[in-house]
């Protein structure tokens, strides 16, 4: 089943994001290589694809996992969690309807 992993950043998270980004991306690339990743990306703090120093307010990942518990365990092990980037992470089942 698909799960949406919605994360909210702490204030002033950009430097923490930059430090943990290589490990964070490597985990997402593994999901992609396993054909389990639907989409992933950050939420810019401004109405711009490149928010610059404004940074990001969170992230969204939609991926396939065996269970809600497995999705939560994967989210809990994110390098952004360990680096203190995220203030909150919510994991919910997701039903892909369109496109």
């Amino acid at each position: 089943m698909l799960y949406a992993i919605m994360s909210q950043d702490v204030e002033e998270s950009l430097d923490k994001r930059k430090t943990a980004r290589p490990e964070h991306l490597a985990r997402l690339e593994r999901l992609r290589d396993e054909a389990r990743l639907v989409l992933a990306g950050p939420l810019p703090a401004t109405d711009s694809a490149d928010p610059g120093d404004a940074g990001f307010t969170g992230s969204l990942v939609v991926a396939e996992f065996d269970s809600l518990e497995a999705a939560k365990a994967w989210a809990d092990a994110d390098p952004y969690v360990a680096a203190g980037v995220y203030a909150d992470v919510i994991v919910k089942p997701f039903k892909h309807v369109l496109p």
Side-chain angles (χ1 to χ4, degrees):
M1 175 152 192
L2 294 178
Y3 295 88
I5 301 170
M6 301 162 284
S7 306
Q8 182 70 38
D9 281 21
V10 298
E11 294 291 324
E12 306 294 326
S13 63
L14 189 57
D15 288 339
K16 293 176 182 179
R17 274 181 168 270
K18 288 178 181 178
T19 300
R21 188 170 191 263
E23 291 178 74
H24 172 78
L25 289 179
R27 293 179 81 238
L28 291 168
E29 289 165 352
R30 283 193 294 275
L31 283 179
R32 178 201 61 205
D33 294 347
E34 295 168 359
R36 296 171 47 205
L37 183 64
V38 175
L39 63 88
L43 306 172
T46 63
D47 191 11
S48 171
D50 182 4
D53 290 339
F56 301 92
T57 61
S59 301
L60 172 64
V61 174
V62 177
E64 183 178 344
F65 293 93
D66 290 335
S67 66
L68 179 60
E69 292 76 21
K72 286 181 177 180
W74 187 89
D76 288 344
D78 194 307
Y80 279 179
V81 171
V85 172
Y86 294 149
D88 189 39
V89 178
I90 297 171
V91 181
K92 293 185 176 191
F94 179 82
K95 183 177 177 182
H96 188 177
V97 175
L98 291 171

